[in-house]
Amino acid sequence: MSSIALVILAAGKGTRMNSDMPKVLHQIAGAPMLVHAMKAGATLEPERTIVVAGHGFDDVKNAAQAHDPDAQIVLQEEQNGTGHAVKVCRDALAGFEGDVIVLFGDTPFVQPETLETMVTARRDNAVVVLGFEAADPGKYGRLIMDGDNLKEIVEFADASDKQRGVTFCNSGVMLVDGIVLFTLLDALDNNNAQGEIYLTDIVKEARNRGLSATAVSCDEVETLGVNSRAHLAQAEQTFQTRARAMLMEDGVTLVDPATTWLAHDTVIGRDTIVEPHVFFGSDVTVESGVHLRAFSHLEGCHVSRGSVVGPYARLRPGAELSEHTRIGNFVEIKNAEIHEGAKVNHLTYIGDASVGAKSNIGAGTITCNYDGVMKHRTVIGEGAFIGSNTMLVAPVTIGNGAMTASGSVITKNVEDDALALSRTPQENKAGFSRKLFEMLKKKKQKLQKDAD
């Protein structure tokens, strides 16, 4: 197979989005549309990746290179059509003699197997176009075929009534022999209804030069373009539906699939159970045999096999759960390791900490990790027992097998097997409760009288 250069067109402003943000940076499943397109193209293992940016150039560049630091970003100062957009890649493609595939930053769902089909078709053709049978052809460009040969692509604005009757439509995705690409582009003009240089015109130009062209077909959903907020919502639903189905095929139980929300990079092992209303942010890995209970929120975390999380738990970035841990209701874990068999079951915050194996963290425990300026770390040893409503003021270390008494504020390290007790001695004042209530009632009556 010839080497591949990936070109992604991402210069448009996207006025229908009604946004200050470049269209391709609007997110689907926690990642910009541009990143989805880059991930799709990456399955071909391209030798070069080039993103054509215009509106919001710096933001697009930062997003692209955050995903792929080796990506080249080129500027299209004026948007004079798709053909012009590819022409500005001339310098970035200097010396490259492989094939060039053109994707679009606002068309995020082209599948790897579809791209592989295009690569196969390229062996016998100089130009391969991706098409689809449209349920409603609307204003899509039409692919005019003669058997397996693609004669030309006609933009809707330039099409005759007969051509508009064709339902095989152009997705915009194209694979071209890189050796002839710029020769074909240089022959194009903007003599059309839009006054732009159409990339699609290289098909006709290739045919005029005796080069062959063809089109391969994919499901229409793969060609979904996002041009408005409504399209963005539709794209999100498309992604979620597909990702949920793949997880269930891989052996994950989704109790109510419609209420499970996944990120673009969510990884879940088989025999895991996901109860309703669980939300996955980016960078979450869940191993096999985990039970994620309802209304939990996970992002930037790793959950090892056999663990139980939730309900109503929150795992934030840096949360690392070892095997057979228990994270219960209204517990928040951030930048902390919970080691094997440890339990954090109720109403607790564990941040910037390490909890030792088989330790038990009582309800209402807080690791006080922030002093207003700096973050500090709490270390809890193996087999420790932290009593309910303990404040662990970091930096502090609790030894192996140690215990803290309920209601304690722990500011000093606790050695192994010790009991830490830090609370004011209790004092009972006989009859004081009755006297206090009487005093408060008289005060309330006086306030009401003065108000009248």
Side-chain angles (χ1 to χ4, degrees):
M1 185 180 71
S2 175
S3 57
I4 295 282
L6 172 63
V7 173
I8 300 178
L9 306 188
K13 182 177 181 180
T15 54
R16 291 171 59 190
M17 297 295 289
N18 192 21
S19 174
D20 294 330
M21 184 189 303
K23 178 172 67 171
V24 297
L25 298 189
H26 285 267
Q27 293 194 348
I28 298 169
M33 287 188 283
L34 173 61
V35 170
H36 286 270
M38 293 176 72
K39 289 174 70 174
T43 62
L44 296 178
E45 299 181 352
E47 183 177 313
R48 303 185 192 185
T49 296
I50 301 164
V51 176
V52 181
H55 175 68
F57 178 86
D58 289 338
D59 291 336
V60 173
K61 178 179 179 180
N62 291 339
Q65 293 185 334
H67 177 71
D68 178 2
D70 295 326
Q72 300 178 67
I73 318 301
V74 299
L75 175 64
Q76 185 187 20
E77 293 187 12
E78 297 182 12
Q79 280 73 64
N80 294 325
T82 51
H84 176 258
V86 177
K87 287 181 74 173
V88 303
C89 298
R90 190 188 302 268
D91 290 343
L93 288 170
F96 180 75
E97 296 184 351
D99 294 339
V100 178
I101 189 162
V102 180
L103 303 181
F104 290 79
D106 61 356
T107 306
F109 295 137
V110 179
Q111 295 298 291
E113 54 269 25
T114 297
L115 298 179
E116 291 291 349
T117 300
M118 294 182 69
V119 169
T120 300
R122 164 66 188 91
R123 296 170 185 168
D124 301 315
N125 297 275
V127 180
V128 180
V129 174
L130 181 61
F132 63 99
E133 285 291 339
D136 179 11
K139 295 186 177 181
Y140 289 114
R142 303 308 203 262
L143 301 182
I144 309 303
M145 302 294 294
D146 180 11
D148 292 333
N149 296 316
L150 176 60
K151 295 174 59 179
E152 61 178 325
I153 306 174
V154 182
E155 298 296 337
F156 178 83
D158 302 299
S160 66
D161 289 342
K162 181 179 179 180
Q163 290 169 331
R164 290 180 179 181
V166 173
T167 58
F168 192 35
C169 295
N170 177 36
S171 72
V173 176
M174 189 177 296
L175 179 62
V176 186
D177 181 348
I179 295 176
V180 300
L181 173 62
F182 290 103
T183 300
L184 298 175
L185 287 172
D186 289 341
L188 305 184
D189 59 39
N190 63 352
N191 185 23
N192 51 60
Q194 300 295 326
E196 297 179 343
I197 300 174
Y198 295 156
L199 177 62
T200 51
D201 283 347
I202 69 170
V203 171
K204 188 174 182 179
E205 184 63 29
R207 300 275 296 181
N208 290 341
R209 294 169 181 261
L211 301 173
S212 59
T214 192
V216 300
S217 182
C218 69
D219 291 337
E220 184 172 3
V221 69
E222 293 187 43
T223 70
L224 176 66
V226 177
N227 297 305
S228 67
R229 303 282 182 164
H231 290 163
L232 188 66
Q234 181 184 355
E236 183 72 43
Q237 290 288 353
T238 297
F239 176 91
Q240 295 297 334
T241 298
R242 178 182 290 166
R244 293 162 186 159
M246 290 176 63
L247 283 177
M248 289 186 285
E249 288 177 3
D250 290 341
V252 177
T253 295
L254 304 181
V255 176
D256 183 6
T259 64
T260 300
W261 286 87
L262 305 164
H264 66 104
D265 56 356
T266 302
V267 176
I268 305 177
R270 67 179 183 178
D271 293 324
T272 284
I273 299 172
V274 182
E275 292 186 4
H277 299 284
V278 175
F279 180 91
F280 295 87
S282 297
D283 191 24
V284 174
T285 298
V286 178
E287 295 185 8
S288 300
V290 171
H291 191 165
L292 301 177
R293 301 186 66 186
F295 293 97
S296 293
H297 187 289
L298 295 79
E299 57 181 324
C301 63
H302 174 244
V303 182
S304 296
R305 66 175 60 242
S307 296
V308 177
V309 177
Y312 294 97
R314 184 181 183 194
L315 303 183
R316 292 173 57 194
E320 181 76 27
L321 275 57
S322 297
E323 294 184 3
H324 305 294
T325 54
R326 297 290 186 271
I327 305 299
N329 53 294
F330 302 104
V331 171
E332 180 176 342
I333 309 291
K334 188 270 294 184
N335 191 30
E337 302 88 39
I338 312 299
H339 291 280
E340 185 173 358
K343 298 178 181 179
V344 189
N345 276 329
H346 316 283
L347 303 159
T348 291
Y349 171 71
I350 302 293
D352 298 294
S354 175
V355 177
K358 297 184 179 179
S359 288
N360 187 91
I361 309 300
T365 296
I366 296 175
T367 56
C368 306
N369 57 330
Y370 184 51
D371 63 10
V373 178
M374 302 285 290
K375 294 289 182 71
H376 302 281
R377 189 165 179 81
T378 298
V379 177
I380 300 172
E382 295 184 5
F385 184 93
I386 306 301
S388 297
N389 203 35
T390 295
M391 304 293 108
L392 298 168
V393 182
V396 68
T397 297
I398 310 299
N400 296 329
M403 178 183 293
T404 67
S406 297
S408 293
V409 178
I410 304 300
T411 59
K412 296 185 295 185
N413 292 346
V414 181
E415 60 269 25
D416 292 354
D417 301 318
L419 168 64
L421 175 63
S422 174
R423 55 192 180 204
T424 302
Q426 181 173 319
E427 182 179 357
N428 295 342
K429 296 182 178 293
F432 192 82
S433 174
R434 177 177 54 80
K435 293 177 181 179
L436 181 59
F437 274 123
E438 288 175 355
M439 182 181 68
L440 292 173
K441 288 175 182 178
K442 288 179 181 179
K443 184 176 181 179
K444 181 177 180 181
Q445 290 171 357
K446 184 177 184 304
L447 289 172
Q448 290 175 337
K449 183 177 180 181
D450 291 343
D452 293 338

